[in-house]
Amino acid sequence: MARVMTTSRPATEVLAWSRELTGPALRSAVETMPAPVRRIAGYHFGWLDAGGLAAAGDGGKALRPALVLLAAEAAGGSATAAVPAAVAVELVHNFSLLHDDVMDGDATRRHRPTAWSVFGVGAAILTGDALLALASEVLAAAPAIYAGDGVRMLAAAVLDLVEGQMADTGFEGRDDVTPVECARMAEAKTGALLGTACALGGLAGGADPERVEALRGFGRCAGLAFQLADDLLGIWGDPAVTGKPVYSDLRNRKKSLPVVAALTSGTPAAAELAALYRSGQDLGPAELSRAAALVEAAGAREWADTRAGELLADALDLLSAARPEPRPAAELGTLARLLVQRDH
């Protein structure tokens, strides 16, 4: 008889379990792609080096798959039944990363050169497109009990993600971005997929529509909190932890949530930061350091920390509303805290 876990596991153990359960299925799915994109995808996931040989690179935490699997268990179902949904969500996430790196011009991800910087912009974009198509194929082949609704859910999340990403890109050329607009962008760009991950898990676990929507709300709130934490890392994160250059968001003049909060704060720091962002010149180390100090002086760093905590509390309330099973609920809460309480 299989042992039933009754006590919650720490985040490291949950994520290792997620990778163990979804990793083989993810690799099997990627192996079905045409050879040229399969090689680039393998490099992006850390399975191959630039020459196509086996590697042991960092393929990511498998956080989103873990949310899918735990949400299925929280609904009273089996994590195994939710593996296709978990794989599909991870494929969509990595589609977005490949495209993000091209749009942001980022040269490193997960402590190694980005796919576009190794294989070229066009090849990286097409590989992202292939991962997106593969996600729909994987989910369409899932158990019929959730495949049809699941494909529609995932497609809606992708449209939200694209809308959010377009807004994010558009903000770079504007001087009048409001905090409300920025929060809406972040919820679409990041919250939509995390919310859908939890909703898909609930659907795979047999939850009724009300519980599915509560799980979705949990994921969306946790996702927005995560975006705030990620925005802080994009300014003050240690490259050894983030795998990206220091001040990467400021270098790209991103209108992230803390930056917009600073720019609209009405403080002297806001005016100086706006002048730096409008300068049109490449920001060197001194200017980047000054920009980071101005964001903090405007109170935006503290605001982002506080707001992330509020969103985490909202997420946990929505999780309770989903009437989850105790052990997976505790682990979902642990992952939500992990999303927010990172070093920055």
Side-chain angles (χ1 to χ4, degrees):
M1 180 180 295
R3 181 173 65 90
V4 177
M5 287 180 291
T6 57
T7 57
S8 65
R9 299 163 290 180
T12 53
E13 191 173 329
V14 170
L15 294 173
W17 163 77
S18 170
R19 288 191 295 271
E20 182 179 351
L21 198 55
T22 60
L26 178 63
R27 281 189 179 237
S28 294
V30 171
E31 282 296 317
T32 67
M33 297 198 301
V37 292
R38 184 170 69 235
R39 177 183 169 189
I40 299 170
Y43 173 83
H44 171 75
F45 281 112
W47 307 330
L48 302 175
D49 65 17
L53 299 177
D58 178 8
K61 295 184 176 66
L63 177 64
R64 288 157 186 80
L67 291 175
V68 177
L69 302 177
L70 288 176
E73 292 188 332
S78 160
T80 303
V83 166
V87 170
V89 167
E90 187 70 350
L91 289 167
V92 168
H93 173 55
N94 283 277
F95 137 78
S96 73
L97 295 183
L98 283 161
H99 284 203
D100 281 355
D101 287 341
V102 170
M103 288 185 286
D104 293 343
D106 285 338
T108 59
R109 177 175 293 280
R110 297 169 181 162
H111 312 288
R112 67 201 311 228
T114 47
W116 74 263
S117 69
V118 175
F119 300 100
V121 169
I125 290 172
L126 290 170
T127 300
D129 294 343
L131 293 183
L132 179 58
L134 184 60
S136 296
E137 183 178 342
V138 167
L139 196 50
I145 190 171
Y146 72 88
D149 287 341
V151 170
R152 286 188 287 273
M153 277 187 183
L154 192 63
V158 171
L159 290 175
D160 282 344
L161 188 158
V162 169
E163 180 182 13
Q165 191 64 54
M166 287 188 69
D168 190 23
T169 303
F171 288 172
E172 294 176 24
R174 288 177 49 193
D175 296 327
D176 60 347
V177 180
T178 68
V180 171
E181 282 183 293
C182 197
R184 189 180 304 123
M185 173 275 294
E187 186 174 358
K189 187 176 79 167
T190 304
L193 188 58
L194 286 170
T196 297
C198 295
L200 281 171
L203 191 67
D208 61 46
E210 181 182 353
R211 295 174 75 196
V212 167
E213 287 309 306
L215 287 166
R216 185 198 302 277
F218 159 74
R220 286 188 81 101
C221 280
L224 186 51
F226 166 71
Q227 186 61 59
L228 279 160
D230 199 59
D231 287 346
L232 291 173
L233 284 174
I235 299 174
W236 291 282
D238 180 355
V241 175
T242 65
K244 288 189 167 189
V246 67
Y247 303 138
S248 60
D249 281 359
L250 296 177
R251 182 176 289 103
N252 292 324
R253 289 180 166 83
K254 300 281 284 187
K255 299 287 175 56
S256 63
L257 283 158
V259 168
V260 170
L263 288 170
T264 58
S265 65
T267 62
E272 188 178 344
L273 179 64
L276 272 176
Y277 259 53
R278 285 197 302 264
S279 68
Q281 299 177 347
D282 289 342
L283 301 179
E287 291 84 5
L288 290 170
S289 178
R290 180 58 181 163
L294 290 169
V295 173
E296 186 160 12
R301 187 175 189 175
E302 181 180 1
W303 168 82
D305 264 327
T306 300
R307 182 60 183 142
E310 293 168 350
L311 286 161
L312 174 60
D314 291 343
L316 296 176
D317 285 346
L318 286 161
L319 178 60
S320 295
R323 306 187 305 281
E325 296 293 322
R327 192 267 306 160
E331 293 174 356
L332 282 168
T334 296
L335 291 188
R337 294 181 185 91
L338 177 68
L339 285 169
V340 177
Q341 296 164 355
R342 301 182 294 164
D343 292 333
H344 52 258

